[in-house]
């Protein structure tokens, strides 16, 4: 029994998905110019598709699960279940208008022509807002539509906003946030559910370790309470008596973003021999 995973064939989502699978121990042979690739040591195979084809492929059972942007999942509105939010490839879907326009609210879009590759999401949003606008469907280069007179505004993916600026546009309404999703076909057989559960377990182990460091240090016993306040760890730090009377070895996990703050406080509390190690996986 093999679990088939649909993955975007190129772009940022492809790169981040491949990196995550590799960290989760899913090893693949050469992936260039190949549509379907089996993993070498785990019962999965990877099916490479266009991003907008993945929701339908999963919903119809062509693939058992898929990694897809939330924007495409919501746009296609296929009958597939979200089994995990993956937290990467984040972006947003926003309405943008020419930079020099005077924008005072959503009513600006009444009667306007909006270019987009996401008509389903935009239609639902405009209906909810009570706005009647003409939606012009474009499959690529949406951002140039206002400058060539094809539309008054656009509805498109925004990451950094640089593309909008270069096309003299400004973002005025954020309609939805998007990230990578792991979706699955309904009524997945139990054998494939078991493989999926193991895959999710591995993914969570990788993601739990992101942005964290493992710290080992020596500390005087009379300073442990103070050091525990600095190093809360996952539940509590691990403490081991040392051969030197009155001293202990302490082990814990800290967030990378607080690294220097924590190390400075540990030294001030009497900690010595501090060793900091990277964490590849963390099983909670």
């Amino acid at each position: 029994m093999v679990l088939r995973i649909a993955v975007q064939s190129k772009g940022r989502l492809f790169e981040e998905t491949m990196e995550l699978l590799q960290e989760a121990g899913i090893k693949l042979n050469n992936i260039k110019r190949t549509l379907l690739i089996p993993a070498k040591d785990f019962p999965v195979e990877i099916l490479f598709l266009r991003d907008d084809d993945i929701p339908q492929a999963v919903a119809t059972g062509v693939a058992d699960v898929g990694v897809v942007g939330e924007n495409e999942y919501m746009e296609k509105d296929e009958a597939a279940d979200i089994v995990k939010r993956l937290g990467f490839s984040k972006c947003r879907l926003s309405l943008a208008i020419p930079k020099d326009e005077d924008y005072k609210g959503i009513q600006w879009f009444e009667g306007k022509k909006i270019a987009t590759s996401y008509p389903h999401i935009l239609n639902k949003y405009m209906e909810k807002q009570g706005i009647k606008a003409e939606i012009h469907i474009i499959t690529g280069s949406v951002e140039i539509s206002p400058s060539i007179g094809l539309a008054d505004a656009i509805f498109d993916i925004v990451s950094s906003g640089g593309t909008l600026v270069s096309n003299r546009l400004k973002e005025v309404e954020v309609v939805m946030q998007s990230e990578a999703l792991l979706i699955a076909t309904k009524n997945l057989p139990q054998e494939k559910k078991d493989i999926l559960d193991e895959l999710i377990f591995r993914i969570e182990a990788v993601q739990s370790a992101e942005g964290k460091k493992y710290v080992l240090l020596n500390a005087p016993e009379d300073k442990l309470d103070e050091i525990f306040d600095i190093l809360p760890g996952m539940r509590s730090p691990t403490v081991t008596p040392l051969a030197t009377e009155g001293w202990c070895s302490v082990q814990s996990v800290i967030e990378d973003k607080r690294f220097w703050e924590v190390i400075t406080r540990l030294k001030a509390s009497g900690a010595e021999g501090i060793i900091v190690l990277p964490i590849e996986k963390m099983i909670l």
Side-chain angles (χ1 to χ4, degrees), residues 212-217 231 250 252-256 258-260 262-264 266 272-279:
K212 294 183 176 64
K213 301 289 187 184
Y214 191 69
V215 178
L216 301 91
L217 57 91
L231 287 175
V250 180
S252 190
V253 175
I254 63 173
E255 293 184 357
D256 196 30
R258 295 186 58 212
F259 174 76
W260 289 113
V262 169
I263 294 301
T264 300
L266 287 172
E272 298 180 1
I274 302 172
I275 299 174
V276 182
L277 301 172
I279 302 174

Side-chain angles (χ1 to χ4, degrees), residues 54-55 58 64-68 73 80-83 181-185:
I54 292 175
V58 174
D64 301 307
V65 299
V67 178
V68 67
Y73 175 79
D81 296 327
I82 299 174
V83 293
L181 303 176
L182 183 63
I183 61 174
T185 188

Side-chain angles (χ1 to χ4, degrees), residues 19-224:
E19 182 179 351
L20 176 61
L21 291 176
Q22 184 177 12
E23 288 290 324
I26 311 301
K27 296 181 174 62
L28 303 172
N29 290 317
N30 187 5
I31 63 175
K32 293 182 179 179
R33 302 184 183 88
T34 306
L35 179 65
L36 186 65
I37 303 175
K40 291 193 289 186
D41 53 0
F42 192 71
V44 301
E45 57 185 10
I46 310 299
L47 175 65
F48 294 104
L49 297 173
R50 284 169 47 97
D51 57 347
D52 53 357
D53 289 334
I54 292 175
Q56 184 181 49
V58 174
T60 57
V62 172
D64 301 307
V65 299
V67 178
V68 67
E70 188 170 1
N71 53 309
E72 291 295 344
Y73 175 79
M74 296 299 294
E75 175 62 26
K76 299 307 178 183
D77 197 23
E78 295 282 354
D81 296 327
I82 299 174
V83 293
K84 184 171 179 58
R85 291 182 170 273
L86 296 173
F88 57 81
S89 291
K90 291 185 177 181
C91 61
R92 56 193 181 274
L93 281 174
S94 297
L95 286 158
I97 66 175
K99 181 180 178 181
D100 297 331
E101 287 286 339
D102 183 23
Y103 184 77
K104 295 182 179 179
I106 193 68
Q107 288 297 325
W108 185 93
F109 291 96
E110 183 68 35
K112 296 292 197 302
K113 182 184 289 186
I114 307 171
T116 186
S117 301
Y118 301 94
H120 177 71
I121 296 173
L122 182 56
N123 258 318
K124 290 181 67 175
Y125 178 75
M126 287 302 182
E127 287 177 5
K128 185 177 180 180
Q129 298 296 325
I131 301 296
K132 292 183 178 179
E134 182 182 346
I135 297 177
H136 189 74
I137 303 173
I138 296 180
T139 56
S141 301
V142 174
E143 65 277 357
I144 68 171
S145 300
S147 64
I148 63 175
L150 193 60
D152 302 302
I154 69 167
F155 176 61
D156 202 15
I157 291 175
V158 178
S159 294
S160 65
T163 301
L164 295 182
V165 172
S166 63
N167 285 277
R168 296 187 56 78
L169 298 172
K170 61 183 178 182
E171 185 179 10
V172 294
E173 299 285 343
V174 177
V175 174
M176 68 168 283
Q177 300 288 340
S178 177
E179 64 180 289
L181 303 176
L182 183 63
I183 61 174
T185 188
K186 294 181 179 295
N187 302 315
L188 199 64
Q190 186 59 51
E191 295 90 340
K192 293 190 176 186
K193 283 183 180 179
D194 292 340
I195 300 172
L196 177 58
D197 288 344
E198 174 63 21
L199 176 63
I200 292 173
F201 169 77
R202 292 188 180 197
I203 289 172
E204 290 177 344
V206 172
Q207 293 182 330
S208 294
E210 291 176 356
K212 294 183 176 64
K213 301 289 187 184
Y214 191 69
V215 178
L216 301 91
L217 57 91
N218 297 331
E221 290 180 352
D222 60 358
K223 293 289 187 177
L224 286 181

